[in-house]
Every structure is written in C-alpha cells, then in structure tokens.
Amino acid sequence: MQCSKPRWERRKDARPQELLGAAIDLFVERGFAATRLEDVARQAGVSKGTLYLYYTNKEELFKAVVRESIVPVIGEAEVSINEFDGHSGDLLRTVMLNWWRRVGQSKVSGISKLIMAEASNFPELAKFYQEEVITRGTRMISSMLERGVARGEFRDIDVTQMTQVLIAPMMMLITWKHSAVAPCDCAELQPQAFLDAFLDMALHGLLPPKR
Amino acid sequence: MQCSKPRWERRKDARPQELLGAAIDLFVERGFAATRLEDVARQAGVSKGTLYLYYTNKEELFKAVVRESIVPVIGEAEVSINEFDGHSGDLLRTVMLNWWRRVGQSKVSGISKLIMAEASNFPELAKFYQEEVITRGTRMISSMLERGVARGEFRDIDVTQMTQVLIAPMMMLITWKHSAVAPCDCAELQPQAFLDAFLDMALHGLLPPKR
Amino acid sequence: MQCSKPRWERRKDARPQELLGAAIDLFVERGFAATRLEDVARQAGVSKGTLYLYYTNKEELFKAVVRESIVPVIGEAEVSINEFDGHSGDLLRTVMLNWWRRVGQSKVSGISKLIMAEASNFPELAKFYQEEVITRGTRMISSMLERGVARGEFRDIDVTQMTQVLIAPMMMLITWKHSAVAPCDCAELQPQAFLDAFLDMALHGLLPPKR
Amino acid sequence: MQCSKPRWERRKDARPQELLGAAIDLFVERGFAATRLEDVARQAGVSKGTLYLYYTNKEELFKAVVRESIVPVIGEAEVSINEFDGHSGDLLRTVMLNWWRRVGQSKVSGISKLIMAEASNFPELAKFYQEEVITRGTRMISSMLERGVARGEFRDIDVTQMTQVLIAPMMMLITWKHSAVAPCDCAELQPQAFLDAFLDMALHGLLPPKR
DNA sequence: GATGAATGAGCATTCATTCAT
DNA sequence: GATGAATGAATGCTCATTCAT
C-alpha cells in the first residue's frame, strides 16, 4: 500500500485538489464574476493554461468546487437522519447545528452565499446548484418535519412552508457572515447565539399544543 | 404639418425619475456590477452622457435609487410604530406584513438582495447602505421587541439576537425571490404562506409563559 | 463722457472681456487641450451656450486670447525700437527686460509656453501664432542686431542664428516658469538673476573686438 | 506547402523593444495625453491587450520610454566628463555637441519637449522626470562650470544661473524642433549653426578677463 | 440674446479564453 | 502535459458642440 509514484507525478494527481483549493478561496473572497482565473492559477502555483486543461471554463471550475465541498456534506446528513431514532426536535437541532459546524463555520458557506448572490447572472450555475444542492437539502429538512408530525412530536404544520422557514435563517446567517452588511451594530455576528435563539424559538413553536 | 421628432427632448424635471426607474429595473435584474450604464440610459430613452448630467457616477446613481426607494419606507414605518398602541405582537405582525407589501412585493426588494450579494465588492456602497438602511431598520425591530418585553407581552428574550432572527427570514424571502435558486420544488415561492408560517411560529414563540 | 447704458447692457459689452479673462486663466493653468469650455464659461459667470455666441469654437476663443494679450505687446515694442537712438546693446537690454516685465512676469507668458507645447496637435493654432506673433517678434530682434552691426556696436555676427540664440533663453525661462520641471534644485526659479546672467554674457559676447 | 500566418506570433523578448519603439514615435509625434494606446499597440503590430502585458498603464509605458532612451545618455556623459582632462571650455563644447548628436538629433529629443509641455498635467510624470533626468543633467553642467572656475579657465560666475543659461538654448532648440512654431522664416531650423553661434558666444563670455 | 439639457464619439483598462511552443 | 503570450470585446467616464426653449 505504498505510493511509489515519483514526485512530479504525484503532483500531477494533486493538481485538481490544488486548483479547487485556490478556487474556493477566491470565489468565496470575491464572488464568481469578480474572481479572475489568472489569480486562481497563480494561487495554485500553475499557469493559466494549465487550469484549462482540467476545467473547460470558469463555470465548470465552479461546479467542481461545489461537488467537492458541499455535495458530500448533504450525503452525510442524509445518512445520519436515516439512522437517528430519538425525538424529532432533537434530530432537527442536531442536524442543523451539525450543518452549521460543517458548512456555516467553514469557507464552504461562502459558496452558498455566492450562489444566492450571483446565480441569476449565470443561469447554468443556478440550474446546477438547484439540482445538486437546494433540492436535496430541502427534501432533507422536509423529511425531518414529516417525521416529527407523523410521530406526534410536532404540531400539524405546513411542511413546505416550515421547511423554508427553517432554512431561511441559516442561509441568512451565512449571507450576513459573508456580506459587508449585517443587522448588528456590533462588529461581529454571534452565530452561535443566533442559532440558539432561533432554534429555541423554532422548536418551541413546533411543539404540539399541550393537552 | 410636419412633426419631425427632435433629436432630443428637454425634460429636466422628469429625467431623474426616468433614470431612477430605468436604473432600479436594471440593477434589480442584473446586479450592480453587471448593469451597464449605457443600458440604463437607453432604457430611460436618453444617451449615456445625459445620465452623467444627473448622477456623477455609477455609485451615486445607485445611492439615489436607494434613497428614492427604500429610505422613505423606513421613515414611514418608524412613524407608524410610534403611533401604535395595541399589543406588541400585533404591532410586529402589522409592521412586518406592511414591509412585505411595500418592499418585498415590489422590485425594491431586489435592491436589498443586490446589496447582500455585492456589497463586499463595493465598500463605499456597503457603508452607505449600512448607515442609511440596515442600522435604522434594525433599530426599528429592536424597539418593537423591547416594547413587548417592557409591557409583559413578550418573553424576556435576547433582543439583539431575536431582532436578527426576525429579520433573517424576511431578507431570505427577498433573496430567494430574486435569486434563481430557492428551496422549493414548485416553480413559485409563496411568500404570503411563508410569512404566515413564520410569523405564526415567531409570535407563538415570543409569548410569555402562561401563568 | 458718461456711460448711460443700463447695467445689463454694459454687461453685454463686457462679456467678451470677461470670457477672455476666464479663458486666459484656464488656458495658462491647464493648457489648451485640457481646458474645458464649461469651466471657462462658469468662471466667466455665463453658460456654456453663451460662450459659443461670441466664439465659434475653442480655437477661435484661443485666437482671441492671443490677439488680446500678446499682439499688442509686440506692437508697442516695435514703436519703441524705432524711437530709440542710443547704443544698440542698451536697446537690446531695454527691450528684453521690458518684454520680461510685460509678458514673462504676467500670465500672458503661459500662452507662449502653451503654444510651444501643444501647437503641433493643433495646426490651425500653430499657423495663426506663427504669423501673428513669432514672425513679428523675430523680425524685431533681428532688426536690433542689424542695427548694432551696422553701427559698429556689435561684432559681425550671423544675425539669423543670433536672433534665435537671444530668443531661446527668454522662451525657455517662460517654459520653465510654467512647466513643473525645471533645472534648479531650489524651489524657485530666479528669473531676474537668470536674465542678468544671460544678458551679461550675451552683450559681452556681442561686443566687437577691442582694437 | 502552405504558410498561413498564425493569429499571433510569440515574441516575448522582442516585444518590449517593439512597444517602446512604437511608443516613442507616437509620444513624440502627438504628446502624452493625445497618444492613444491602441495606436501604439497597432504600430507595434500587437493588440491593445498585449501592451498591458508589458506595461501596467500609460504612465509606466512612458517611464519605460524615458529609462530606455534618455537616462543612458546621461550616464555616458557623466562618465566622459570624469575622464576628460583638457580645457573646461573644450569639455563643455564637447559634451554639449555630443548631447545634441545623441539626443537633439534623434527623436528622443521629442520626449524632453513633451515633458516641458505636459508635465504639469501629469504630476507623477513630472516627479519622475525631474528626479531621473533634470536633476542629474543639471548637476552635470554645473560640475563642468565649477571645474572651469576652479582651474581658472572661466570667469568667476554664478554657477547656478549660468547652468540654466547654458541649458536653456539647448532645450529651446529641442522645443522648436518639435513645436510647429519657431522663430525662423525659413522652413528649417539650422541647429548646427544655432549651436555654433550659441557656444561661440557663451564660451567667449565665460573666458576670464585677459590680464 | 441666453440658457443648459442633450448628444455621442472617444479612450484607458480588464479578463476569459485560445493556441503556438 | 504545461506554459504564458496574445487576443479583443466590453465598459465607465469625458467633453466639444448643438439646439429647443
């Protein structure tokens, strides 16, 4: 189980990773349109031309970043939901806090923000992201709500709308985190406090009426 | 009896409105960076140069759009809050539904979305918007929460965090509306249903514990 | 010998003067190409359109400035040369120092500098200036040299070349005065010292050999 | 046996020279502000974009032209002055005639003229040129005068002023050569005759009084 | 006469993409 | 495979001049 490849060949295999790493950094920092491929190449230590050997254009590079960074997180969450068997409120809280740790706190969250910001100027990206991320993520939240309602742990809510209600603050948190403007006089967002406040309210509001 | 169209028409008084109208349309449709001033001018029926007679550059044009479209709405809301004297939950609901009618449902909402998306690439705009809109809007929500707590109509919450919790879904709704990606399989968001679901949950969660 | 015209009518007569005053200021400060007619009009207290009532375009305005400011000085010098009857060296010194007082020390000198700088981009102006100023001025210097040679007060020099030799430092002084670059480490040119040094050397060099 | 011309040719090493060559031609012909970079590129046989691969902007291109064309001449002159050991009058004559051959007679002289003309509109260029050319050139002339005075070969003159007196006609000659206006009725300047006349007079005037 | 709103050609600079080496 | 030189369309902004009022 050794790695007998010579140095430069290992490097060749590593190229896509290095490029994706540079790409995510810059996309997150500047957005899709404002990121220059020359900067991506330079940061990855290769030439502009090389970048085009691996990704046919800017959009394909971006898609690769999404596949690399976000899609796997969703897969893992789907699995953990299927395996969980406690109270649905706990499940919801766990999944959402986990998502915050894996996505919200990492630079990956910048990709989500960027998509919200720029997707309308790049329809191809919008379509891709919708299919690969949004739809699957939404279905995941909905399934937890349905589980809670079915098990009598949640009120009888409008699942479609409540799904969006639950997603919205998480996405907004991300947006604020990456956006130069935010609704707080203080210099820093306090995401954890925000999440606590939100989940507290939300789970409180989802509980079925006491008999 | 000829009526040859003059090369141009002198419309000094109407021009700013025409230009702002064209500008808001295009800014909302394409974002700040992607909007070409030549297109704004053409849509307003004037030449590129004319636009510069009224606004010194792209950023000033954008600021004028904000002053024209968003700032007044905030002013009105501030007034109506001061005059209200019923239950704070009703006040909150009223103000937020009203904001949705005035901003969310109009193209003005596109400006808010655009700012979240692009502010970090245009620090000057970020600063302007933060001061003119975000800070004032945030203070407005907070004051309603404080009123509710003071009058014993709300639980004793963390006002700062809860303010953000309340703002988040509204902003997210706007973002989705303008974003080409959104967490719904259906073709259309249902903002009204979303708002109902959210306010329902939020006001439910804010109520003080029954004695 | 009163001036019975009403206020606004006197003003109308004064317009050309006001415009020329503003024009010379700005041409001297920024050069021909870089001067904006809008600024000239504003400084003269009129509208852009008005300027075009008096001067058909930028070049004509400039010509008027030259006619107003430089041409008369040459006329006066020609007269005073004809009337002088002392030693030609004294005449030369007198005329050149006088020219420095009338032109070099006033903003008029900026026009000469500007012409040297920009004439090649505006052939029409070059032609005009050559005819109205350069040729006449040159002839004037030459005539003094010829007078000196004829009267045995100067060596038997190449008049054409010496004319240029005498003109050159005066023009250069003007150029430096208006030029942002100059061959002195000190902050200020000392035109008077420069002139003294030059005339000293020149008149010394023009004297006929002592028998 | 076809020989279709490629869309472009890769000439990295030659490009800077080609671009500088085109740049100096056009700067000299039209001045700094009036030279369009697109024309420079076209004359060098490349596209606009290529120019920016080598020079970050118009000012840097201009600085490169100066470094390429004028600065070396000054360096050489400084060396030859240090090595000379005859009469200071001969040194002065030699250096100035040499400068005329190397700068005055070539298109390089156009750059000096251009600077005098436009420096005040481009402060950055003025500063650069002052430091790289004017100051060094001035120091060079002064040092020759000081040498002459110290060795008793020149009168005891005001070196600072005389330095300017000597520089002035040389610069003026250049200005006239490139200026579309000049104090001669004939179509052509006769720089050589002018220089002879001037140096004759100047060196004559610098000699110490005969005992 | 006066005004100033309107025009539109003009220019420096950027950057995704191509392709000869 | 890798390089990076070259391309050229795109865009914000300026200003002399025109002309309806």
Side-chain angles (χ1 to χ4, degrees):
Chain A
M1 205 67 71
Q2 48 164 329
C3 181
S4 60
K5 288 180 181 175
R7 213 166 195 285
W8 63 265
E9 210 169 332
R10 282 211 310 278
R11 183 157 190 83
K12 195 176 72 179
D13 291 349
R15 275 285 147 72
Q17 282 305 317
E18 293 167 353
L19 285 167
L20 291 179
I24 196 173
D25 285 353
L26 288 166
F27 280 142
V28 166
E29 186 181 328
R30 305 184 198 167
F32 180 76
T35 291
R36 295 184 305 139
L37 290 192
E38 178 153 26
D39 291 340
V40 173
R42 185 185 312 127
Q43 180 151 332
V46 302
S47 72
K48 237 188 313 185
T50 301
L51 205 160
Y52 279 86
L53 291 177
Y54 292 93
Y55 305 99
T56 50
N57 57 36
K58 204 179 184 182
E59 297 209 340
E60 285 306 317
L61 173 62
F62 184 81
K63 287 183 188 176
V65 165
V66 171
R67 283 198 201 90
E68 170 82 8
S69 61
I70 303 187
V71 172
V73 179
I74 295 184
E76 292 169 29
E78 286 169 342
V79 169
S80 74
I81 288 172
N82 289 335
E83 292 170 349
F84 188 88
D85 71 0
H87 187 281
S88 296
D90 294 335
L91 172 58
L92 200 53
R93 181 185 293 270
T94 302
V95 166
M96 292 184 79
L97 288 176
N98 213 45
W99 176 88
W100 179 249
R101 262 196 304 278
R102 288 288 307 274
V103 173
Q105 292 186 328
S106 86
K107 64 190 167 199
V108 172
S109 55
I111 298 296
S112 288
K113 183 260 179 177
L114 175 169
I115 279 285
M116 289 185 281
E118 301 187 71
S120 50
N121 290 120
F122 302 93
E124 165 94 16
L125 290 188
K127 183 161 170 290
F128 169 80
Y129 196 83
Q130 182 73 40
E131 287 167 2
E132 300 291 320
V133 181
I134 306 285
T135 302
R136 283 177 67 185
T138 304
R139 189 148 44 215
M140 204 174 73
I141 304 285
S142 293
S143 73
M144 288 188 286
L145 290 176
E146 281 157 1
R147 178 185 189 273
V149 172
R151 292 168 51 135
E153 292 159 352
F154 290 158
R155 291 194 287 142
D156 186 23
I157 49 172
D158 176 337
V159 168
T160 300
Q161 294 308 320
M162 189 54 68
T163 298
Q164 296 171 33
V165 166
L166 289 171
I167 292 174
M170 311 294 285
M171 297 306 287
M172 210 57 232
L173 195 50
I174 279 177
T175 301
W176 287 335
K177 186 183 161 191
H178 291 278
S179 163
V181 300
C184 46
D185 296 352
C186 49
E188 307 275 1
L189 274 177
Q190 299 173 291
Q192 202 58 53
F194 176 94
L195 281 177
D196 289 342
F198 172 69
L199 287 173
D200 198 47
M201 183 189 77
L203 295 175
H204 205 256
L206 282 170
L207 292 183
K210 299 241 175 57
R211 255 166 312 118
Chain B
M1 198 65 78
Q2 57 165 320
C3 178
S4 70
K5 204 169 177 190
R7 268 208 303 148
W8 44 266
E9 210 178 339
R10 173 178 281 225
R11 303 175 50 78
K12 178 170 192 193
D13 292 346
R15 276 286 141 68
Q17 283 306 317
E18 294 167 352
L19 287 166
L20 290 179
I24 198 173
D25 285 353
L26 287 165
F27 280 142
V28 166
E29 185 182 330
R30 304 185 197 168
F32 180 77
T35 291
R36 294 187 300 137
L37 290 193
E38 180 153 22
D39 290 341
V40 173
R42 187 183 311 125
Q43 178 149 336
V46 301
S47 72
K48 229 185 329 180
T50 299
L51 206 162
Y52 282 87
L53 291 178
Y54 295 91
Y55 304 99
T56 49
N57 57 37
K58 203 179 184 182
E59 297 212 338
E60 286 306 317
L61 174 62
F62 184 81
K63 287 184 187 177
V65 165
V66 171
R67 282 198 201 91
E68 170 81 8
S69 61
I70 304 187
V71 173
V73 178
I74 295 184
E76 291 169 28
E78 286 169 343
V79 169
S80 74
I81 288 172
N82 288 333
E83 291 171 347
F84 188 89
D85 71 0
H87 188 281
S88 296
D90 294 336
L91 172 59
L92 200 53
R93 180 184 293 269
T94 302
V95 166
M96 293 183 80
L97 287 176
N98 213 44
W99 176 87
W100 179 250
R101 260 197 304 278
R102 289 289 307 274
V103 174
Q105 292 186 326
S106 85
K107 62 192 169 197
V108 171
S109 56
I111 297 297
S112 288
K113 183 261 179 176
L114 174 169
I115 278 285
M116 289 184 281
E118 301 188 72
S120 50
N121 291 121
F122 301 92
E124 167 92 15
L125 290 188
K127 183 162 170 288
F128 170 79
Y129 196 82
Q130 182 74 40
E131 288 167 2
E132 300 290 322
V133 180
I134 307 285
T135 302
R136 283 177 68 185
T138 304
R139 190 149 42 215
M140 205 174 74
I141 305 286
S142 293
S143 72
M144 287 188 287
L145 291 176
E146 281 157 2
R147 179 185 189 274
V149 173
R151 293 171 49 136
E153 292 159 354
F154 291 157
R155 289 194 290 141
D156 186 23
I157 48 169
D158 176 337
V159 169
T160 300
Q161 294 306 321
M162 190 54 68
T163 298
Q164 296 171 34
V165 166
L166 289 171
I167 292 174
M170 312 293 287
M171 297 306 288
M172 210 58 231
L173 195 50
I174 280 177
T175 302
W176 286 335
K177 186 182 162 194
H178 292 278
S179 170
V181 301
C184 46
D185 295 351
C186 48
E188 306 276 0
L189 274 178
Q190 299 173 291
Q192 202 58 54
F194 176 94
L195 279 177
D196 288 342
F198 171 69
L199 287 174
D200 198 46
M201 182 190 77
L203 295 176
H204 206 256
L206 282 171
L207 292 182
K210 298 239 175 58
R211 254 163 312 115
Chain C
M1 203 66 76
Q2 48 163 328
C3 181
S4 61
K5 289 179 179 175
R7 214 165 194 284
W8 61 266
E9 210 169 330
R10 282 209 310 278
R11 184 160 190 80
K12 195 175 73 181
D13 291 348
R15 274 287 147 72
Q17 282 306 317
E18 292 166 355
L19 285 167
L20 291 179
I24 197 174
D25 286 353
L26 289 166
F27 280 141
V28 166
E29 186 181 329
R30 303 184 199 167
F32 180 76
T35 291
R36 297 186 301 140
L37 291 192
E38 178 153 25
D39 290 339
V40 173
R42 187 185 311 125
Q43 181 152 330
V46 303
S47 72
K48 235 188 315 185
T50 300
L51 205 160
Y52 279 87
L53 291 178
Y54 292 93
Y55 304 100
T56 50
N57 59 34
K58 205 180 183 181
E59 298 209 339
E60 287 305 318
L61 173 62
F62 184 81
K63 288 183 188 176
V65 165
V66 171
R67 281 197 203 92
E68 169 81 9
S69 60
I70 304 187
V71 173
V73 179
I74 294 184
E76 292 169 26
E78 286 169 344
V79 168
S80 73
I81 288 173
N82 289 333
E83 292 170 348
F84 189 89
D85 71 0
H87 187 281
S88 296
D90 294 335
L91 172 60
L92 199 54
R93 181 184 294 270
T94 302
V95 166
M96 294 184 78
L97 288 176
N98 213 45
W99 176 87
W100 178 249
R101 262 198 303 279
R102 289 289 306 274
V103 174
Q105 291 185 328
S106 86
K107 63 191 169 198
V108 172
S109 57
I111 297 296
S112 288
K113 184 262 180 174
L114 174 170
I115 279 285
M116 289 184 281
E118 302 187 71
S120 50
N121 291 121
F122 302 93
E124 166 94 14
L125 291 188
K127 182 160 169 290
F128 168 79
Y129 196 83
Q130 182 74 41
E131 288 167 2
E132 300 291 320
V133 180
I134 307 286
T135 301
R136 282 177 69 185
T138 303
R139 190 149 42 215
M140 203 174 74
I141 304 285
S142 293
S143 71
M144 288 187 285
L145 291 176
E146 281 157 1
R147 179 185 188 275
V149 172
R151 292 169 50 133
E153 293 158 353
F154 292 158
R155 291 196 287 144
D156 186 23
I157 48 171
D158 177 337
V159 168
T160 301
Q161 294 307 320
M162 189 55 67
T163 297
Q164 296 171 32
V165 167
L166 289 170
I167 292 174
M170 312 295 286
M171 298 306 288
M172 210 57 231
L173 195 50
I174 280 176
T175 302
W176 286 334
K177 186 182 162 195
H178 291 279
S179 170
V181 301
C184 47
D185 297 350
C186 50
E188 307 275 2
L189 275 177
Q190 299 173 290
Q192 201 59 54
F194 176 94
L195 281 178
D196 289 342
F198 172 68
L199 288 175
D200 197 46
M201 182 191 77
L203 295 177
H204 205 256
L206 282 172
L207 293 183
K210 297 240 174 58
R211 254 165 312 118
Chain D
M1 197 65 76
Q2 57 164 319
C3 179
S4 71
K5 203 168 177 190
R7 267 209 302 146
W8 44 266
E9 210 178 338
R10 173 179 283 223
R11 307 174 47 80
K12 178 171 192 192
D13 293 346
R15 275 285 140 63
Q17 283 305 319
E18 295 167 352
L19 287 166
L20 290 179
I24 197 174
D25 285 353
L26 288 166
F27 281 143
V28 166
E29 186 182 329
R30 303 185 198 168
F32 180 77
T35 292
R36 295 186 300 137
L37 290 193
E38 181 153 22
D39 289 342
V40 173
R42 187 183 311 126
Q43 178 151 332
V46 301
S47 72
K48 231 183 329 181
T50 299
L51 205 162
Y52 282 88
L53 292 178
Y54 295 90
Y55 304 98
T56 48
N57 57 38
K58 203 179 183 181
E59 297 212 337
E60 286 306 316
L61 174 62
F62 184 80
K63 288 184 187 177
V65 166
V66 172
R67 282 198 201 90
E68 170 80 8
S69 60
I70 303 187
V71 173
V73 178
I74 294 184
E76 290 168 29
E78 286 169 343
V79 168
S80 73
I81 288 172
N82 289 333
E83 290 170 349
F84 188 89
D85 71 1
H87 187 282
S88 297
D90 295 335
L91 172 59
L92 199 54
R93 180 184 294 270
T94 302
V95 166
M96 293 183 79
L97 288 175
N98 212 46
W99 177 87
W100 178 249
R101 261 197 304 279
R102 289 290 306 275
V103 174
Q105 292 186 327
S106 85
K107 62 190 169 198
V108 172
S109 55
I111 297 297
S112 288
K113 184 260 178 175
L114 175 169
I115 279 285
M116 289 185 281
E118 301 188 72
S120 50
N121 291 122
F122 301 93
E124 167 93 15
L125 290 188
K127 183 161 169 290
F128 169 80
Y129 196 83
Q130 182 76 41
E131 288 168 3
E132 301 290 320
V133 180
I134 307 285
T135 301
R136 281 178 69 185
T138 304
R139 190 149 42 214
M140 206 174 73
I141 304 287
S142 294
S143 73
M144 287 188 286
L145 290 177
E146 282 157 1
R147 180 185 188 275
V149 172
R151 293 170 49 134
E153 293 159 354
F154 291 158
R155 292 195 288 143
D156 186 24
I157 49 172
D158 177 336
V159 169
T160 301
Q161 293 307 320
M162 190 55 67
T163 298
Q164 295 173 34
V165 166
L166 289 171
I167 292 174
M170 312 294 286
M171 298 304 288
M172 211 56 233
L173 195 50
I174 280 176
T175 302
W176 286 335
K177 185 182 162 194
H178 291 278
S179 171
V181 300
C184 46
D185 296 350
C186 49
E188 307 275 1
L189 274 177
Q190 298 173 291
Q192 202 60 53
F194 175 94
L195 281 176
D196 288 341
F198 172 69
L199 287 174
D200 197 47
M201 181 190 77
L203 295 175
H204 205 256
L206 282 171
L207 293 183
K210 296 238 172 61
R211 261 165 308 117

